[in-house]
Amino acid sequence: MTFKYRHLADKLISDINANRLQAGQRMPSIRALSQQYKISITTALKTYEQLEAEGYLISRPQAGFFVRPRPKQLGELSLPAFRPVVGSVDNEALLYEIQSAANDPHRIGLGTVMIAPELLPLAALQRSLQRTLRNRPLVASTYCPPSGEPELCAALSHHFGEDGIHLPAHELHITNGCMSALSLAISATTQPGDNIAIPSPCFSGQLQLLASLGRNVVEIPSAASGLDMDALAQSMASGQVQACLVTANFQNPLGYCLTSAQKQQLATLASRYQCPIVEDDVFGECGYHPQRPLPIKSWDQTGDVLWCGSFSKTLAPGYRVGWCGPGRYAPAFSRLHLSQSLAVNSPLQLALADFVHSGEYRRHLKRLRIDLARQVDALRCYVEAQFPPGCTVTHPQGGLALWVQLPEGCNGMQLYEDAKMHGINVVPGAVFSARELYHNAVRLNAGNPWDEKIKDAVDVLADLIKRQVHSIDEGEC
């Protein structure tokens, strides 16, 4: 179902893109918009809030809403083309060092991709936990079923069903976060020494996971719009890979979302070549539009897609509660899960079930999507305005990350080291590949509300990049 405000928002976006509404033009007041289109004041306000979140309007106190000037884009992202080959992850020490530094709370958080605490519904979560402990005082005295608390599985099944993702509660398995779900899924479908296809650039945590499990990687080329489907299909058809680890919705770090046709194609390929797809959908609910995109799992007819997710990127990272729909690999998945972790925290599972059932989670997601869109747009626009020519930055469709490609000759690792000296965390592009492909790139976290601290950090990064460019021009690098 498409809401009234979405229809009107799309119309206004069309007018802005066609210059029928020009940059800087003042929009009608909320009351005037309501009268013009015969909609409620609430719908009119929601339309403007959505357009502001998507970067088309800007609000000015006591003045109203205005068409946002669109900054000149720095350029089109250009990722390297290469032939997929089998390789191993040999940069584990670097991955660990940078991951540890990115989590340093004393630095400005442009490193680890996570939402700021002020965006979390902490009071509502606390109420759900208190209700659980009050109504189920003995809940912590025993283990939950190996597949998870039935109440949480039922709550998630109903919640996903509202978004068109139909997965029965008994097919869900609750895990200790998404990384645990991915680890179990990889272990249930492959053996040490097997080859796993991954998009490139790829989330560094996934590379660490595959290295720890003794799997090889086959990197598949990507563009800003998605991974090379032909190259992936060829790797699957040739038997070069034994499984795929794919993020179809708002991939980290590029932020793309595969089309429905591409997702359907992936599910078909998995079935045709008996090559399972482990789907990391941890950012699936972090889109900037009201409708959540369907995962690859929605087109899976044979159980060859293992769908993994968690609350970590939308709600409570510290809870470490995730899930997996392992399809036909459920028996192997269950055995591994029982042997490795026995059970997941029961009080937290039941508290989250209460939180979902109460409608608080759905209300939180509606607010969060607007906040994320606003934050990502603010960071991207300022990066485009301040970073020097020769830089490019992604325009993600969802998620919390921006991928910035630096001018030719610049080094993301050097920028990472220089930024650390200024108390700023970024993640260098080198850790998103096992093939050393992205030395002139960095990833920025957009999970924090835009403020002067973030603005000043971007100014510092821009100055550090300009210094690198100057050194190159002077022949010092």
Side-chain angles (χ1 to χ4, degrees), residues 114 120 311-312 315-321 348:
M114 60 185 296
L120 301 177
F311 291 105
S312 298
L315 192 59
Y319 277 26
R320 308 308 306 149
V321 175
L348 291 183

Side-chain angles (χ1 to χ4, degrees), residues 293-353:
L294 297 177
I296 303 169
K297 184 68 175 177
S298 292
W299 285 271
D300 179 27
Q301 301 296 316
T302 55
D304 288 291
V305 177
L306 297 85
W307 180 50
C308 305
S310 82
F311 291 105
S312 298
K313 300 304 179 184
T314 59
L315 192 59
Y319 277 26
R320 308 308 306 149
V321 175
W323 56 82
C324 181
R328 68 183 181 90
Y329 296 92
F333 187 96
S334 296
R335 287 194 298 271
L336 288 165
H337 192 198
L338 185 61
S339 66
Q340 293 182 18
S341 60
L342 189 61
V344 179
N345 188 302
S346 290
L348 291 183
Q349 287 190 67
L350 292 171
L352 288 168

Side-chain angles (χ1 to χ4, degrees), residues 396-460:
Q397 300 176 55
L400 294 74
L402 289 180
W403 178 261
V404 181
Q405 192 168 289
L406 306 177
E408 187 69 30
C410 289
N411 189 288
M413 184 62 69
Q414 184 63 53
L415 181 60
Y416 157 76
E417 296 287 356
D418 293 342
K420 275 206 306 183
M421 298 297 292
H422 289 80
I424 303 168
N425 271 328
V426 299
V427 180
V431 301
F432 294 90
S433 168
R435 299 181 58 165
E436 302 182 356
L437 292 172
Y438 307 106
H439 286 293
N440 69 324
V442 294
R443 189 199 66 187
L444 304 180
N445 168 43
N448 298 301
W450 180 253
D451 58 18
E452 285 299 314
K453 184 172 65 174
I454 301 296
K455 175 180 175 294
D456 292 344
V458 174
D459 288 336
V460 171

Side-chain angles (χ1 to χ4, degrees), residues 220-372:
I220 305 298
S222 299
S225 57
L227 75 167
D228 186 331
M229 295 291 292
D230 290 338
L232 179 58
Q234 289 171 11
S235 293
M236 296 170 77
S238 68
Q240 182 184 35
V241 299
Q242 284 69 57
C244 306
L245 176 53
V246 176
T247 297
N249 295 325
F250 318 128
Q251 189 256 6
N252 176 11
L254 297 182
Y256 60 72
C257 183
L258 299 184
T259 66
S260 294
Q262 289 173 320
K263 294 171 186 175
Q264 184 176 23
Q265 180 184 359
L266 285 173
T268 300
L269 290 171
S271 176
R272 178 183 302 160
Y273 299 116
Q274 296 290 284
C275 181
I277 291 176
V278 176
E279 181 177 11
D280 183 350
D281 200 30
V282 72
F283 290 103
E285 296 186 305
C286 294
Y288 309 147
H289 297 278
Q291 183 60 48
R292 184 215 201 281
L294 297 177
I296 303 169
K297 184 68 175 177
S298 292
W299 285 271
D300 179 27
Q301 301 296 316
T302 55
D304 288 291
V305 177
L306 297 85
W307 180 50
C308 305
S310 82
F311 291 105
S312 298
K313 300 304 179 184
T314 59
L315 192 59
Y319 277 26
R320 308 308 306 149
V321 175
W323 56 82
C324 181
R328 68 183 181 90
Y329 296 92
F333 187 96
S334 296
R335 287 194 298 271
L336 288 165
H337 192 198
L338 185 61
S339 66
Q340 293 182 18
S341 60
L342 189 61
V344 179
N345 188 302
S346 290
L348 291 183
Q349 287 190 67
L350 292 171
L352 288 168
D354 177 273
F355 190 78
V356 174
H357 272 312
S358 69
E360 288 286 358
Y361 188 45
R362 181 68 63 183
R363 287 188 286 273
H364 164 65
L365 288 176
K366 289 180 179 179
R367 294 189 297 268
L368 180 65
R369 286 167 179 151
I370 292 175
D371 289 337
L372 289 181

